[in-house]
Amino acid sequence: MAGESDVSENALSCANCGKPANLQCPKCIELKLPREGSAFCSQDCFKSSWSSHKSVHVKAKLSSPGMGTPGEQDSSSPGESWLYCLKRGQSRTPKMPHFDWTGTLRPYPISVKRIVPANIDKPDWADDGIPKIEPNSDFQHTVEIKSPDLIAKMRETCRIAREVLDAAARIVRPGVTTDEIDKVVHDTTIAAGGYPSPLNYHFFPKSCCTSVNEVICHGIPDARKLEDGDIVNIDVTVYYKGVHGDLNETYFVGNVDEDSQKLVKCTYECLEKAIAIVKPGVRFREIGEVINRHATMSGFSVVKSYCGHGIGELFHCAPNIPHYGRNKAVGIMKAGQTFTIEPMINAGIWRDRMWPDGWTAVTADGKQSAQFEHTLLVTDTGVEVLTGRLQTSPNVFPWLKS
């Protein structure tokens, strides 16, 4: 272990640009952190590096005595068990990973894996993180026509999933951490007798996905507090009575600027327009054409790396549902099929990059992204939205208010 070096004040370098520095971050002084790494040459350098520099304060607080004990799940008092996620959930580290971040958002430490009671029916990845039935199923290549009994189970599961998402939506406000949102999702799912499908799916460490600002999808709930002006997508999937129900919505945190409001509203409209064409005989590829047309006419782009999917007894299966135009999706819709449509719409370019955690997909240009999702059933005459909003759903979208 290296010892501390005695660095005189006039030898300090700016943490942002490397120039000689004689200003110090006041928060670092309050936390009694070493001068190295907390010095800046000017107020401009300090301001420009604030979004990344403030993570130093979080790490200092998380490692300080009296901040909790290992294994604690109360996000208000995280302890040493709060670590950064790596390798798709299979590894942890106390230090923030190095990465060429595309926007202002940074990962924060995550809490320990939440407990699922023994009496809850679990999917086959719950214990070891590895799905066994799903990847080898014939329904990865053939679109299943669900039986009436299976459809009835999916209606029930999707309603629970909707109620879980609504519970999470009710606590979205500045100052709430995404880990707190995850706890609400987890506890509400368990209380309903379900299992949160994302938990340990291919080692995903949490019970839902929370994607903030430039995160496109699969954001991992962590210790970061939501800030006024953020947008956050909450993606919930519930496993109950042997089937899955999947949906997500993007919410405003506090006062959101007009550009963000336009992006989120357009994304909502993309999903609604796509659902409107669902009926027997329609080609799956047409969904992407409808979404792409509305998004591009509104000045936005459509993510191509992630798509909707079949769902039922399997979390992910055929058909694939691309959301972009000129896609090559095969097949036509038939009564009894169930699948998700979940367009991801970007304010800038459509391309994405992956964070070091192996899950969090972010926009390549750091601009915001929004998403909405429903699980759908093709009926004889059209479509049934299995995860549709309820009369009790929180009234959070301005364009739906009467």
Side-chain angles (χ1 to χ4, degrees):
M1 177 179 287
E4 293 185 11
S5 60
D6 185 12
V7 181
S8 63
E9 185 170 341
N10 59 11
L12 294 176
S13 298
C14 178
N16 186 47
C17 69
K19 294 179 181 179
N22 55 19
L23 299 177
Q24 193 172 359
C25 169
K27 191 67 176 178
C28 289
I29 296 174
E30 178 187 329
L31 295 172
K32 299 180 180 179
L33 298 180
R35 291 197 299 263
E36 302 91 329
S38 65
F40 296 87
C41 66
S42 67
Q43 287 291 343
D44 288 340
C45 261
F46 178 54
K47 290 177 181 178
S48 66
S49 65
W50 174 248
S51 61
S52 58
H53 175 69
K54 63 184 178 182
S55 65
V56 174
H57 309 148
V58 175
K59 287 190 285 186
K61 289 178 180 178
L62 296 182
S63 61
S64 63
M67 291 298 286
T69 57
E72 251 182 350
Q73 296 183 11
D74 180 1
S75 62
S76 66
S77 55
E80 293 178 0
S81 58
W82 289 65
L83 300 167
Y84 293 95
C85 179
L86 292 174
K87 297 182 179 178
R88 291 182 65 81
Q90 297 181 73
S91 180
R92 302 287 189 274
T93 178
K95 296 183 178 180
M96 180 187 289
H98 176 74
F99 187 68
D100 183 17
W101 312 103
T102 65
T104 59
L105 195 71
R106 299 291 183 272
Y108 277 59
I110 68 171
S111 61
V112 297
K113 181 183 174 185
R114 301 193 192 281
I115 303 302
V116 177
N119 65 299
I120 297 293
D121 185 28
K122 303 174 181 68
D124 64 7
W125 58 78
D127 294 329
D128 63 6
I130 304 172
K132 291 87 175 171
I133 298 172
E134 184 174 287
N136 300 310
S137 171
D138 290 341
F139 293 128
Q140 295 299 337
H141 313 287
T142 303
V143 183
E144 180 183 15
I145 304 297
K146 304 294 192 299
S147 67
D149 178 62
L150 209 54
I151 290 171
K153 289 180 179 179
M154 289 200 66
R155 283 196 182 99
E156 190 174 2
T157 300
C158 286
R159 183 185 175 93
I160 292 172
R162 161 52 68 181
E163 291 170 344
V164 170
L165 181 62
D166 288 349
R170 291 187 183 99
I171 72 161
V172 171
R173 64 181 63 91
V176 172
T177 68
T178 50
D179 185 80
E180 290 174 289
I181 292 172
D182 182 75
K183 187 177 189 305
V184 168
V185 168
H186 185 89
D187 292 349
T188 309
T189 302
I190 298 301
Y195 179 93
S197 305
L199 185 61
N200 214 28
Y201 180 71
H202 292 289
F203 307 102
F204 188 82
K206 290 294 165 187
S207 298
C208 69
C209 300
T210 52
S211 301
V212 179
N213 295 340
E214 68 262 30
V215 179
I216 295 170
C217 61
H218 303 156
I220 300 173
D222 60 23
R224 180 186 182 272
K225 293 181 178 180
L226 294 174
E227 299 177 358
D228 189 66
D230 284 344
I231 60 172
V232 58
N233 177 274
I234 305 175
D235 194 337
V236 166
T237 310
V238 170
Y239 180 73
Y240 181 72
K241 292 189 177 180
V243 297
H244 301 270
D246 190 1
L247 78 162
N248 72 58
E249 291 180 340
T250 300
Y251 304 107
F252 301 129
V253 182
N255 300 302
V256 177
D257 63 41
E258 187 176 346
D259 288 342
S260 298
Q261 293 181 43
K262 288 180 178 178
L263 172 66
V264 173
K265 185 172 185 287
C266 174
T267 307
Y268 181 94
E269 292 167 347
C270 283
L271 176 57
E272 291 297 300
K273 289 178 180 294
I275 292 172
I277 71 163
V278 174
K279 64 180 179 181
V282 174
R283 296 180 182 274
F284 291 120
R285 69 180 62 172
E286 291 300 317
I287 291 172
E289 298 297 337
V290 169
I291 292 169
N292 191 74
R293 186 179 306 118
H294 187 63
T296 54
M297 287 180 64
S298 302
F300 302 123
S301 64
V302 182
V303 173
K304 298 182 181 182
S305 303
Y306 301 92
C307 60
H309 53 88
I311 188 169
E313 292 176 300
L314 304 178
F315 192 174
H316 297 92
C317 55
N320 284 334
I321 309 292
H323 305 114
Y324 55 92
R326 299 183 180 179
N327 67 77
K328 294 180 172 58
V330 297
I332 61 171
M333 300 175 197
K334 297 178 182 178
Q337 294 172 341
T338 54
F339 54 85
T340 71
I341 303 178
E342 46 188 299
M344 289 145 273
I345 309 300
N346 292 352
I349 62 174
W350 67 265
R351 296 186 182 278
D352 60 280
R353 291 187 61 195
M354 183 68 69
W355 272 8
D357 60 38
W359 280 106
T360 306
V362 297
T363 58
D365 57 9
K367 294 183 179 180
Q368 286 187 327
S369 183
Q371 184 185 18
F372 284 86
E373 174 186 21
H374 277 306
T375 294
L376 309 170
L377 166 69
V378 183
T379 66
D380 290 331
T381 57
V383 61
E384 180 181 342
V385 182
L386 298 178
T387 49
R389 294 177 63 80
L390 307 171
Q391 287 188 342
T392 55
S393 295
N395 196 1
V396 294
F397 302 116
W399 54 88
L400 295 182
K401 295 178 181 179
S402 55

